[in-house]
Amino acid sequence: MNLRDLSYLVALAEHRHFGRAAEASFVSQPTLSTQIRKLEDELGVALVERTPRKVLLTETGREIARRARGVLSQVDEIKSIAQRTRDPESGTIRLGIFPTLGPYLLPHVIPHLRERFPRLELLLREEKTEQILGMLREGTLDAGILALPMHDESLHIEFLFEEPFVLAVPDNHPLAGRQCLSMDDLADQNLLLLEDGHCLRDQALEVCHLAGAGEKTGFRATSLETLRQMVSANVGITLMPILAVKPPVAQSGNVRLIEFESPAPSRRIAMVWRKSSAMTPFFSALAEVIRDVPAELFNARECATRQP
């Protein structure tokens, strides 16, 4: 049994298809299939159920693949330790970030990360929170940028910043003329929200609960951009994180952004990684660069103006 064969099994577990697993492993399909059979012969158990339409792992195969992910992750970490011993600020980092933050935060931090760590290869993975947490546990991600709170004793949590929300309303909405809102102003309003699985949906529902607001029924968006366009089309109102309405994000017509009185509703963002990781000192330095985003990015007053 060798690491290469374990990597083939992990690829097969992820893709459930010999051809796609072989392509992801940069080998031919016959090669991957042969090595999987050799692994089964060596272990003396069936790892794969081969059917005409799809590939399923046996219960034993799934458990061995799960453990193989951990082994391969540890091997990658050993290589990273050696690489960083030679050059502490080089190597590859696999970073997860959720969709309602990634496109809006990264343009502000990537240039600074490149300047601070010019030899670093940053591989970004945009996924919902639960997927990122799962990949951190499996070792397929090194670190993640997620919203708090988080309850996982295996993860180190490094607070980055607090991001306020603004209310986005159509130009003709009764609240459009307001310069500032209190939470009470949301009472009896129905907000457009994201679909299940987005942490922003949970955060917005919490704000609705505190303010006595509800959810507009019959519609759930798949992205913040859809929510923005629904407001522009006069379908309803919604909460927007402040970074999602700051340049270089394109503005939508017929939308008014209104700030909240202090303390404004907000979300807390943190960088997380496994407590067992040997890369903690480097991750702390990485988090410090991300944390050092300009304070004016979180100033709601500058964006609470009529959009062109």
Side-chain angles (χ1 to χ4, degrees):
M1 181 168 51
N2 56 51
L3 296 174
R4 179 193 59 191
D5 292 344
L6 291 179
S7 71
Y8 292 161
L9 179 64
V10 168
L12 193 59
E14 291 176 353
H15 295 278
R16 306 293 180 90
H17 187 277
F18 276 102
R20 289 193 291 271
E23 184 178 354
S25 302
F26 303 102
V27 296
S28 68
Q29 181 172 332
T31 296
L32 185 137
S33 181
T34 298
Q35 293 306 122
I36 293 292
R37 285 195 179 279
K38 286 183 178 179
L39 184 59
E40 289 178 313
D41 291 341
E42 181 176 355
L43 296 174
V45 294
L47 302 175
V48 180
E49 296 179 19
R50 297 165 175 85
T51 67
R53 293 181 176 272
K54 59 184 177 180
V55 173
L56 299 174
L57 266 66
T58 64
E59 182 178 349
T60 300
R62 290 193 298 271
E63 177 62 18
I64 292 176
R66 184 186 69 81
R67 293 178 180 269
R69 288 189 188 95
V71 171
L72 295 172
S73 174
Q74 290 295 318
V75 170
D76 286 342
E77 195 157 311
I78 289 170
K79 293 178 180 178
S80 295
I81 292 170
Q83 172 67 28
R84 286 197 163 76
T85 300
R86 298 191 300 269
D87 187 351
E89 296 180 356
S90 69
T92 301
I93 295 295
R94 301 164 299 178
L95 181 68
I97 191 166
F98 57 97
T100 60
L101 179 65
Y104 314 109
L105 173 65
L106 294 176
H108 300 288
V109 301
I110 291 297
H112 298 289
L113 290 173
R114 286 175 176 167
E115 181 180 357
R116 174 64 179 82
F117 306 108
R119 298 181 301 281
L120 176 68
E121 181 184 34
L122 188 62
L123 301 181
L124 297 166
R125 182 73 179 260
E126 188 178 277
E127 298 285 356
K128 294 178 182 178
T129 296
E130 285 305 312
Q131 282 82 357
I132 291 175
L133 289 172
M135 295 171 76
L136 283 169
R137 297 185 191 105
E138 292 174 355
T140 52
L141 285 177
D142 299 308
I145 298 178
L146 298 172
L148 298 175
M150 200 171 308
H151 307 289
D152 191 321
E153 293 298 321
S154 69
L155 296 178
H156 173 84
I157 299 173
E158 190 84 7
F159 174 73
L160 295 176
F161 54 80
E162 189 159 352
E163 183 185 17
F165 293 118
V166 294
L167 187 70
V169 304
D171 273 344
N172 61 357
H173 192 274
L175 295 175
R178 300 287 297 275
Q179 295 299 314
C180 193
L181 296 173
S182 70
M183 291 286 282
D184 291 340
D185 291 318
L186 290 184
D188 301 323
Q189 296 285 338
N190 291 315
L191 276 64
L192 297 165
L193 300 181
L194 291 171
E195 64 183 1
D196 290 332
H198 289 276
C199 62
L200 181 58
R201 172 179 173 79
D202 298 331
Q203 295 151 6
L205 282 172
E206 183 177 355
V207 173
C208 289
H209 175 73
L210 293 173
E215 177 181 3
K216 189 176 180 67
T217 59
F219 174 83
R220 289 185 181 178
T222 58
S223 71
L224 272 181
E225 296 313 304
T226 303
L227 284 181
R228 194 194 313 270
Q229 294 307 316
M230 291 300 97
V231 174
S232 179
N234 200 25
V235 175
I237 66 176
T238 195
L239 292 171
M240 298 290 286
I242 194 69
L243 291 178
V245 297
K246 291 281 187 171
V249 178
Q251 305 299 329
S252 300
N254 190 38
V255 176
R256 171 82 178 181
L257 302 172
I258 313 170
E259 68 173 324
F260 286 91
E261 296 174 352
S262 181
S266 62
R267 61 182 182 182
R268 292 166 54 82
I269 305 299
M271 184 170 167
V272 303
W273 59 85
R274 292 180 298 278
K275 289 179 178 178
S276 60
S277 175
M279 298 163 65
T280 289
F282 180 78
F283 287 147
S284 295
L286 196 68
E288 188 60 36
V289 175
I290 298 172
R291 186 185 294 116
D292 196 30
V293 292
E296 58 266 23
L297 287 176
F298 305 107
N299 187 338
R301 187 172 296 277
E302 291 184 7
C303 73
T305 58
R306 186 178 302 278
Q307 303 301 296

